[in-house]
Amino acid sequence: MSNELQADVVVIGGGPGGYVAAIRAAQLGFNTACVESAPTLGGTCVNVGCIPSKALLQSSEQYEFARLHAHEHGIGFDALRLDLHQMLRRKDEVVGQNTRGVEFLFRKHKINWIRGFGTLRTGNAVDVLLADGSTQTLKAAHVIIATGSVPIELPFLPFDERRIVSNTGALVFDEVPAHLVVIGGGVIGLELGSVWRRLGAKVSVVELMPGILPGSDDDIVKEADRIFRRQGLELHTGTRVTGAEISPETIVVSLERDGQARTLEASHVLVAVGRRPSLSGIDAGALGLTLGSRGEISVDDRMRTNLPNVFAIGDATGGKLLAHKAEEEGVIAAEAIAGKPSRMHYHSIPSVIYTWPEIASVGLSEQEVRVSGREYTAAKFPFTANGRARTMGAANGFVKLIADARTDELLGCHMIGPNVSELISEVVLAFEYRGASEDLALTVHAHPTLAEATKEAALAVLGRAIHI
Ligand code: FAD
Ligand code: NAD
């Protein structure tokens, strides 16, 4: 049975890109529908990404604090016990609060959630296969594709989401793995590797490139490598995974480094070697939709594809695979449809890694500035010289700022330390205004705060830090 529905805007995908685009479109007065095939809204981020991983990072961090550091504060207890099932239940509750939150926002904005799998046809029609097997056709003046991304699989380590897992399976292990081998020393590998190490697993991270977190500022990589190794993460950098033997008891992963072969015997393997754009329901060839070299949907700075009135946003368009980037692109697409002059720019999109210590950055790395040939000044302020960090017992890491040597314009900021996920916002704001290190240096920061380290790093760029 088929029935037809008309809408001004149809969004395919209800992740952070899609749901934000739908809300903004509804705010702008459009009759809006969002097609989402999963049982809950929120996409990768809310269901199997940002939110559950941060819930487990938070819980495991508290467990590690109780185990290793509570006594330093004069706090003791007789028996510390890990209740993994309660930890996982709490994570699921947090996810539920967030998915229900998005549903509430849809009701508030009268957005029609079409629960089913959408297929884009020419002429801006979307056929939706509904859960009961029937189909519904949505005719839209405008379509926004927000189909997200999926994890890249290695041919010799196919996901079973039980012992060989992507992020999805790594969020639901029902016991602490004896030996978790993580393939990929990027963001997921280090965040989820940290969770299971803190909970008692032996964790070995295998990274193809010479250092973890490729593309990050070199000083950050050095510091992070040192701290993570000290915490007990086994890091195999510059190492290629060449194969795996899977038996009912173990997974033997073969590695090669500098021509030397070796193996790791794992109880579980997390493959976190990146994600690729998902074009499910989008037959680019048949539609004539232009893709980039990595299979991402090509868009301009108003999120327009080459097809009339078809927009694309979020992970499906490549670039930085980040929820806040997807959200901002969703806003730009909706505003472009409304005829507003909004344009996407990527100059001040922050990146954050929620390990302990956290890592946050915006702008260019020092090596990128060097390659650009621009004259620059770089300076660091360490958290060992910050009073608040010492009170927290968290005086690891530093704030590093890079500014143009002639104009003092901020070019890059790289932080590793306590709560830098929050500290970076101040610098992002400065970037938005194309600010200078002097702007941060002249701003009065409350004492004692971690943010004083940012001011001091800015003073250091000007050659006049006070506390170092
Ligand atoms: P997605 O969130 O992937 O949503 C796409 C949605 O489209 C899905 O719900 C899918 O079911 C639906 N869909 C696809 N095709 C169809 C179709 N044909 N019909 C109907 N529905 C369809 N980013 C951060 O900024 N901060 C973090 O801390 C962070 N942590 C992460 C941790 C992990 C473990 C992972 C995997 C990712 C993390 N990310 C984080 C990245 C973030 O999750 C993504 O960048 C973000 O979810 C992208 O949003 P999106 O809307 O483009 O796509
Ligand atoms: P990633 O790109 O961050 O890291 C993948 C790593 O795997 C890289 O270091 C790469 O060099 C390495 N690699 C690739 N092939 C390999 C191989 N065969 N053997 C060994 N190493 C190999 O990707 P990810 O960690 O899978 O995360 C996917 C995306 O999700 C990221 O791009 C990130 O933007 C997003 N994410 C963001 C957050 C956050 O914002 N805190 C958290 C998790 C995920």
Side-chain angles (χ1 to χ4, degrees):
M1 213 195 60
S2 160
N3 54 64
E4 204 167 289
L5 205 123
Q6 200 82 32
D8 298 327
V9 177
V10 169
V11 184
I12 307 176
Y19 84 71
V20 169
I23 291 171
R24 187 70 188 116
Q27 281 177 343
L28 289 164
F30 293 116
N31 168 10
T32 305
C34 179
V35 185
E36 171 56 64
S37 54
T40 48
L41 292 168
T44 303
C45 172
V46 177
N47 292 285
V48 290
C50 327
I51 297 299
S53 62
K54 265 82 259 180
L56 287 184
L57 279 156
Q58 182 69 26
S59 297
S60 60
E61 209 170 286
Q62 309 233 16
Y63 178 63
E64 182 147 279
F65 173 80
R67 202 165 61 80
L68 299 180
H69 302 293
H71 70 96
E72 294 160 13
H73 295 255
I75 303 168
F77 29 79
D78 294 331
L80 180 67
R81 195 173 57 84
L82 171 67
D83 182 346
L84 179 62
H85 293 114
Q86 168 56 19
M87 199 178 275
L88 296 177
R89 256 195 312 276
R90 175 186 176 277
K91 178 245 329 167
D92 292 339
E93 277 161 22
V94 173
V95 169
Q97 287 159 8
N98 283 270
T99 57
R100 288 193 298 277
V102 181
E103 275 189 53
F104 162 78
L105 293 172
F106 269 28
R107 282 196 300 278
K108 178 178 164 189
H109 292 283
K110 302 193 171 30
I111 297 162
N112 191 358
W113 172 14
I114 313 287
R115 299 167 194 240
F117 184 84
T119 303
L120 179 62
R121 284 199 284 115
T122 43
N124 294 354
V126 179
D127 288 335
V128 185
L129 177 61
L130 301 168
D132 63 7
S134 64
T135 52
Q136 181 162 44
T137 298
L138 309 177
K139 295 285 283 180
H142 299 88
V143 172
I144 302 177
I145 303 171
T147 45
S149 64
V150 287
I152 295 173
E153 201 165 10
L154 294 174
F156 46 83
L157 282 166
F159 296 131
D160 62 18
E161 297 300 359
R162 211 172 50 79
R163 291 194 307 154
I164 302 171
V165 299
S166 68
N167 55 290
T168 301
L171 293 163
V172 293
F173 288 138
D174 60 4
E175 57 183 14
V176 177
H179 184 192
L180 175 63
V181 170
V182 178
I183 320 275
V187 194
I188 293 181
L190 292 169
E191 285 188 354
L192 292 179
S194 293
V195 165
W196 294 106
R197 179 201 58 73
R198 291 168 187 165
L199 299 182
K202 176 180 176 185
V203 177
S204 309
V205 179
V206 183
E207 169 55 51
L208 187 64
M209 302 301 280
I212 55 170
L213 298 172
S216 302
D217 186 89
D218 283 345
D219 283 337
I220 294 286
V221 174
K222 254 185 253 153
E223 183 77 350
D225 182 281
R226 193 179 63 79
I227 294 172
F228 293 150
R229 282 182 201 272
R230 209 174 52 203
Q231 290 173 347
L233 271 187
E234 198 179 278
L235 300 179
H236 301 266
T237 49
T239 303
R240 176 179 297 279
V241 182
T242 52
E245 253 179 58
I246 305 164
S247 71
E249 294 79 36
T250 57
I251 304 144
V252 179
V253 182
S254 309
L255 311 179
E256 187 200 294
R257 181 170 194 237
D258 298 334
Q260 303 269 38
R262 63 168 295 189
T263 55
L264 289 175
E265 200 173 308
S267 61
H268 298 75
V269 177
L270 163 60
V271 180
V273 295
R275 297 176 65 88
R276 61 176 171 76
S278 161
L279 292 186
S280 68
I282 313 293
D283 185 340
L287 290 161
L289 180 67
T290 303
L291 303 182
S293 59
R294 295 173 169 200
E296 76 282 11
I297 302 174
S298 300
V299 286
D300 66 9
D301 61 0
R302 311 195 72 207
M303 312 319 296
R304 290 179 299 202
T305 69
N306 64 311
L307 302 179
N309 299 327
V310 177
F311 295 70
I313 58 172
D315 284 8
T317 63
K320 285 188 176 180
L321 307 185
L322 295 172
H324 44 281
K325 174 240 179 210
E327 290 183 25
E328 193 57 23
E329 290 178 340
V331 169
I332 300 294
E335 293 184 352
I337 290 170
K340 291 186 178 291
S342 317
R343 285 175 195 281
M344 189 66 201
H345 60 102
Y346 297 93
H347 168 69
S348 43
I349 303 265
S351 296
V352 175
I353 305 168
Y354 297 81
T355 46
W356 185 262
E358 293 181 337
I359 298 169
S361 67
V362 61
L364 302 174
S365 66
E366 185 170 352
Q367 58 272 24
E368 283 171 331
V369 178
R370 203 179 299 126
V371 166
S372 75
R374 210 158 161 174
E375 292 286 306
Y376 68 93
T377 311
K380 279 191 276 191
F381 186 82
F383 281 107
T384 44
N386 175 273
R388 184 66 187 277
R390 287 195 294 247
T391 66
M392 293 166 67
N396 274 318
F398 54 80
V399 174
K400 172 175 174 176
L401 282 171
I402 308 165
D404 186 290
R406 201 173 47 82
T407 64
D408 194 34
E409 182 183 349
L410 290 165
L411 303 176
C413 176
H414 307 279
M415 303 174 161
I416 178 167
N419 299 3
V420 296
S421 56
E422 304 292 340
L423 297 195
I424 196 71
S425 295
E426 174 187 17
V427 184
V428 174
L429 185 64
F431 263 69
E432 274 296 311
Y433 288 114
R434 295 196 68 173
S437 70
E438 191 182 33
D439 295 318
L440 293 172
L442 294 181
T443 304
V444 177
H445 288 66
H447 176 76
T449 56
L450 297 170
E452 286 173 291
T454 307
K455 177 190 171 90
E456 288 280 3
L459 283 167
V461 167
L462 304 172
R464 53 189 182 93
I466 301 286
H467 288 91
I468 190 115

